Amino acid sequence: MTMIAHNYDRLRTMCISHGQGLYCSKSKEDLFQDTIVFVSQDEKASSLSTDKELIDYFCYRFRMIEFQAINDNKLLKEIPYADYLQTPKTTEEE
């Protein structure tokens, strides 16, 4: 957590500076905060020894969280039409 706090401005600039957008009502700032929470609780991140390793790992996790938010947002926009849904076939024995 200390390494994240020490590199906060640098991480924020690297992750948030590119593009705008809302995904599932979350902004890039929200995704950045989610990444901080995730990385601060991650055991792999606590084993990293240099700032460069932490920055690379943090940016990787940010992209993964952003990717998941984008996919979740796409699922919310899809409308399941009846033509696309398949009903399970039932066998009636008479």
Side-chain angles (χ1 to χ4, degrees):
M1 193 66 183
T2 305
M3 290 174 71
I4 292 173
H6 186 281
N7 294 302
Y8 180 83
D9 291 331
R10 187 173 179 191
L11 291 169
R12 189 170 186 278
T13 303
M14 292 175 74
C15 294
I16 297 178
S17 65
H18 64 282
Q20 297 284 332
L22 285 174
Y23 309 108
C24 293
S25 71
K26 288 186 174 184
S27 67
K28 296 253 184 185
E29 184 68 36
D30 295 327
L31 297 175
F32 182 73
Q33 296 303 325
D34 289 347
T35 307
I36 289 174
V37 171
F38 183 86
V39 172
S40 66
Q41 296 173 355
D42 191 7
E43 290 182 19
K44 182 178 178 184
S46 64
S47 67
L48 300 174
S49 58
T50 65
D51 284 348
K52 173 141 177 45
E53 290 175 343
L54 177 75
I55 290 170
D56 291 342
Y57 184 70
F58 188 92
C59 290
Y60 168 75
R61 280 294 167 196
F62 178 80
R63 288 190 306 271
M64 292 294 106
I65 290 172
E66 182 181 36
F67 178 76
Q68 186 62 48
I70 290 169
N71 285 337
D72 291 346
N73 194 48
K74 285 181 185 176
L75 286 176
L76 288 176
K77 290 182 179 181
E78 290 180 2
I79 300 172
Y81 293 103
D83 295 340
Y84 301 144
L85 301 176
Q86 289 185 341
T87 57
K89 295 181 180 180
T90 58
T91 57
E92 296 180 20
E93 294 182 25
E94 295 180 31

